[in-house]
Amino acid sequence: MLQNTPETKTILRALAGETLSTPPIWMMRQAGRYLPEYKATRAQAGDFLSLCYNPDLATEVTLQPIRRYGFDAAILFADILLVPQALGADLWFVTGEGPRLSTVTVQADFDKLKPVDDIHETLNPIYQTVRNLVGALPPQTTLIGFAGAPWTVATYMIAGQGTKDQGPAHLLRNENNELFEKLLDLITKATIEYMSAQIEAGAEVMKIFDSWAGSLPGGAFEKYALAPAREITTELKKRHPGIPIIGFPREAGDKYIGFAKKTGVDCVALDNSVSAEWAAQNVQIDGCVQGNLASTHMVTGGQALVDNTRAIVKAFSKGPHIFNLGHGITPDANPDNVQLMIDTVRGG
Ligand code: CP3
């Protein structure tokens, strides 16, 4: 009988390359607005950012989906846009719309940003949340920390908000490449320090969210998605030997092939625009993969949820796999459908 020691945590075993008979499971945005208990704690905090920066309440919402569902991993409750804020950008959230930031489009904007060493002043409460979680999580549950990838974070810093096509960031990349690259480099260095501090506080896995990697064409993908992921991974592994890293170059399509080898990440997270069969043949051959059920099934449920969940488990059954959605769960999801997905993964 295996004990629930860190060595037997199923997520860590899959990340180390082990093929498990039942894949471990967690879910992007598992602490979120589809859960009534999340909405209650968020109301207590007042707003989303106050929740992120309150270690007690951030710990509580991180634990909520673990208590309700017994996921195999907890993901630190925070946001990828805290790094720009720590670098001195203004950040606020417009209810029902999303994030807003002061923009970086000219050298003078860049010059106003803070040096990397100053980020911890803002981010210290996040490290406290990590420390709280180390003491509060069940022994079999893996704690995942995260940050946004430099390209994705830059798209928000340049546009000042989310954009459909990342147009403003592509424009700066083409028209003032020097400034664009300086910004990317600053975010990369800040991300290394932020993730390193999370690991020191007790996070056991790091995930790099490159939500907008899919909009980078060929050579630009190599330079602005692959290379920063490789730099972050190399430096984190140098400082913290053995730390497992999950890369998520969302909507990379064919560029998922070889991503793990080229960057050094231990696992590639897949969105649901690629089929599990294709990914098993082309991506999982290099190691662990994570994904990739369409999050719409958490809204619609029923037999289609069961059939698609089973098909994904089967397609990835010959290699290391962590079950997850292809993107975050949405606020209109039904919590019962999450349970149905978990029961299907665990019960067959
Ligand atoms: O997965 C988790 O449960 C951990 C926490 C987490 C959040 N955001 C909490 C959050 C993580 C890992 C993120 C990552 C994140 N944040 C990404 C990358 C992943 C992705 O979704 O593509 C991005 C692009 C962001 C930036 C961001 N944060 C946006 C665009 C928004 C608004 C959209 C929305 O869903 O409202 C957020 C807000 C946000 N981040 C919420 C949560 C739970 C909702 C805020 C609320 O409670 O009102």
Side-chain angles (χ1 to χ4, degrees):
M1 199 41 201
L2 288 168
Q3 300 300 306
N4 284 330
T5 58
E7 291 71 28
T8 62
K9 290 186 179 190
T10 49
I11 296 269
L12 297 181
R13 286 166 60 187
L15 288 170
E18 191 178 333
T19 305
L20 297 158
S21 53
T22 300
I25 177 169
W26 68 280
M27 191 173 69
M28 282 184 269
R29 291 277 172 97
Q30 62 190 23
R33 286 162 293 177
Y34 74 106
L35 287 180
E37 59 268 39
Y38 170 84
K39 283 194 268 196
T41 310
R42 189 180 175 286
Q44 201 185 332
D47 61 71
F48 172 65
L49 283 175
S50 307
L51 178 53
C52 290
Y53 288 117
N54 181 321
D56 290 340
L57 297 182
T59 302
E60 166 57 23
V61 291
T62 305
L63 293 171
Q64 285 169 350
I66 307 304
R67 280 191 212 116
R68 186 189 267 255
Y69 299 115
F71 282 116
D72 296 295
I75 181 155
L76 166 69
F77 190 83
D79 197 85
I80 66 164
L81 299 179
L82 304 186
V83 166
Q85 189 173 37
L87 284 169
D90 295 330
L91 172 68
W92 66 104
F93 280 78
V94 179
T95 310
E97 289 187 28
R100 295 288 182 276
L101 299 90
S102 49
T103 58
V104 181
T105 56
V106 294
Q107 183 67 40
D109 300 328
F110 182 83
D111 292 339
K112 279 189 236 149
L113 295 174
K114 293 183 193 169
V116 168
D117 287 347
D118 289 3
I119 62 168
H120 302 301
E121 218 177 290
T122 302
L123 297 169
N124 267 324
I126 311 304
Y127 314 142
Q128 185 55 45
T129 305
V130 174
R131 283 190 292 272
N132 290 353
L133 286 164
V134 170
L137 280 168
Q140 71 274 19
T141 313
T142 301
L143 178 56
I144 302 176
F146 72 93
W151 161 248
T152 287
V153 171
T155 66
Y156 288 94
M157 291 184 78
I158 295 162
Q161 62 185 74
T163 48
K164 274 207 166 61
D165 58 0
Q166 296 76 59
H170 286 294
L171 192 72
L172 189 69
R173 163 171 94 72
N174 291 320
E175 302 211 325
N176 190 347
N177 191 255
E178 195 192 330
L179 177 62
F180 173 79
E181 292 199 349
K182 270 197 279 190
L183 180 62
L184 225 68
D185 190 55
L186 177 72
I187 301 167
T188 304
K189 299 290 186 292
T191 302
I192 290 167
E193 298 310 323
Y194 178 46
M195 287 187 139
S196 200
Q198 290 182 41
I199 298 165
E200 276 156 28
E204 299 169 282
V205 174
M206 282 297 127
K207 180 167 175 184
I208 307 169
F209 284 89
D210 210 347
S211 303
W212 301 118
S215 80
L216 287 165
F221 182 89
E222 302 270 331
K223 268 170 108 168
Y224 305 126
L226 264 176
R230 182 170 56 234
E231 184 178 344
I232 293 165
T233 302
T234 306
E235 186 59 28
L236 288 180
K237 284 180 181 279
K238 200 165 98 192
R239 294 191 198 180
H240 312 277
I243 184 76
I245 298 175
I246 303 172
F248 184 32
R250 193 171 71 91
E251 294 194 351
D254 283 353
K255 297 191 282 292
Y256 276 125
I257 301 171
F259 189 84
K261 275 195 175 148
K262 290 178 190 164
T263 58
V265 299
D266 302 85
C267 175
V268 179
L270 303 158
D271 70 89
N272 51 281
S273 69
V274 293
S275 82
E277 290 76 17
W278 177 87
Q281 281 176 24
N282 291 285
V283 188
Q284 199 187 24
I285 47 164
D286 292 335
C288 190
V289 290
Q290 177 179 281
N292 68 339
L293 183 69
S295 52
T296 49
H297 288 295
M298 298 302 103
V299 182
T300 52
Q303 195 58 41
L305 182 164
V306 173
D307 292 347
N308 281 278
T309 299
R310 284 192 184 136
I312 289 166
V313 171
K314 182 157 181 269
F316 290 128
S317 62
K318 294 188 180 64
H321 175 218
I322 298 168
F323 196 93
N324 206 308
L325 301 177
H327 201 191
I329 188 169
T330 50
D332 55 345
N334 179 344
D336 293 343
N337 290 332
V338 175
Q339 190 64 56
L340 180 59
M341 169 182 71
I342 296 171
D343 291 346
T344 305
V345 169
R346 291 188 175 156

